[in-house]
Amino acid sequence: MQWETVIGLEIHAQLATRSKIFSASSTQFGAEVNSQANAVDLGMPGVLPVLNIEAVHMAIKFALATNAEIGKRSVFARKNYFYPDLPKGYQISQMALPIVGQGTVEVTLDDGVVKTVGLTRAHLEEDAGKSVHDLFHGQTGVDLNRAGTPLLEIVSEPDMRSAREAVAYARKIHSIVRYIDICDGNMQEGSFRCDANVSVRPVGTETLGTRAEIKNVNSFRFLERAINFEVERQIDVLESGGTVVQETRLYDADNDETRSMRSKEEANDYRYFPDPDLLPVVVEDSLIEELSQSMPELPEARCGRFVSEFQLSEYDAGVLTADRATADYFESVLATSGASAKLVSSWIGGELFSRLNKDGLELPESPVTADRFSGLMSRIHDNTISGKIAKQILDHMWGSDADVDAIIDREGLRQISDSSEIEKMIDDVIEANPSQLAEYRQGKEKLLAYFVGQVMKASRGKANPGQLNEMLREKLKG
Ligand code: ADP
Ligand code: MG
């Protein structure tokens, strides 16, 4: 039997408002526990929630970025359940009438194929607090700073067919929310959380299999692993004659497995009903118009422009525009360095990214800012340094605040483009290698590389490679 994987994702994006969705408390991450929860967040008797209009604007921007329907009249509902981190006994969410309806996103897969994934809906809701298990020995504390933080829950259609597709989709949503500046996307801090609904079915059948929902996945890498583990588990269950039960499972990154958390039988009946404390949200066309005017250039448009304006390949343009910070960095370096788009693109995608990866850093945390990187590109462009030396200089820049020119002077790395100086080095190398010279002249042209290497070494890597090659060929001819 061949199995087909089916995945739908629910993504919670924390909206980057300064205050909470229904109160004036700050949403700042990392404050002292319980210092940012007021009477409204706690649901004290007699208090009334007041909707933060910024959260509404952000949800509409998301709809505009995903070609989604905008709910002209959406309604907040109470989702009732008991948990220590939810003192008022219900979460304010949206159920029957969400602010964002059906939409689509285009996802570019590893092989370059573009897949359209359907969005079912996206709704506004408040986050709950947090249970803290590691602060007191043998006891659990409750931190309500997060209670009332605005979330946009983005629900996809079950359109993904592999863990990689699911990750590509999640990355795309991550990229969109950051482009339009509605979420900081920080997965470690929980600002962007993915729950994966996973099922399998025999290839060629239509009916969806029973799904498990995996929670607690806090990186794209773990998302891929958790789904792959879950698919294998479900296939094993089915092939050994069992049935998959609908349940919520937790991903355990340490053991790379998913474990049952609660089954459908124990699932809550949330008794949703419209929240009587909040009016329906009515979105006027004029507001939609105003927000569309304020929308930034989105990833696809920017990618297309990078191809047409800078003659970059589709692939390179895709890498540079995958997130806004990278695209901004690239455009800033390009505008100030005078270097070609191709040079800047290959240096960002190659040397810069590999150093960031090695240190586990995101571009905004790069020790080398766009300004300093631009200086480095200028010096390659005007032939002050070779690409090889530039790599050494980038290493120096990584560990200090010094700019490129200071490092070139300090380390004596200026490229040698004085032809008499290069000629002298070539002559010395040829003289020291008579047998290689003879072989070369008998037709062993491969030895050119050997001579280039020797002269480069003599120049301590500083000879202008173009000049060196050209002059050396002439000299070797005799
Ligand atoms: P709930 O609200 O109980 O989590 P929904 O029906 O809203 O359930 O579905 C939530 C997510 O699960 C959606 O992203 C949807 O695409 C996905 N989904 C639903 N059924 C399946 C299935 N059989 N296999 C995989 N994903 C599914
Ligand atoms: Mg769900």
Side-chain angles (χ1 to χ4, degrees), residues 139 205 387 415:
Q139 293 179 328
T205 59
Q415 178 156 272

Side-chain angles (χ1 to χ4, degrees), residues 6-10 155-158 197-199 208-211 213:
V6 176
I7 304 155
L9 296 187
E10 291 163 283
V155 183
S156 84
E157 289 292 299
N197 292 269
V198 179
S199 66
L208 291 175
T210 305
R211 73 187 144 120
E213 179 173 352

Side-chain angles (χ1 to χ4, degrees), residues 286-304:
S286 57
L287 175 62
I288 299 175
E289 183 53 33
E290 197 180 301
L291 292 169
S292 2
Q293 299 300 327
S294 76
M295 290 288 280
E297 191 180 24
L298 293 171
E300 279 99 40
R302 205 162 185 186
C303 180

Side-chain angles (χ1 to χ4, degrees), residues 355-369:
R355 283 170 179 74
L356 290 171
N357 280 342
K358 198 166 133 256
D359 292 356
L361 298 173
E362 297 288 327
L363 185 55
E365 304 154 348
S366 171
V368 177
T369 58

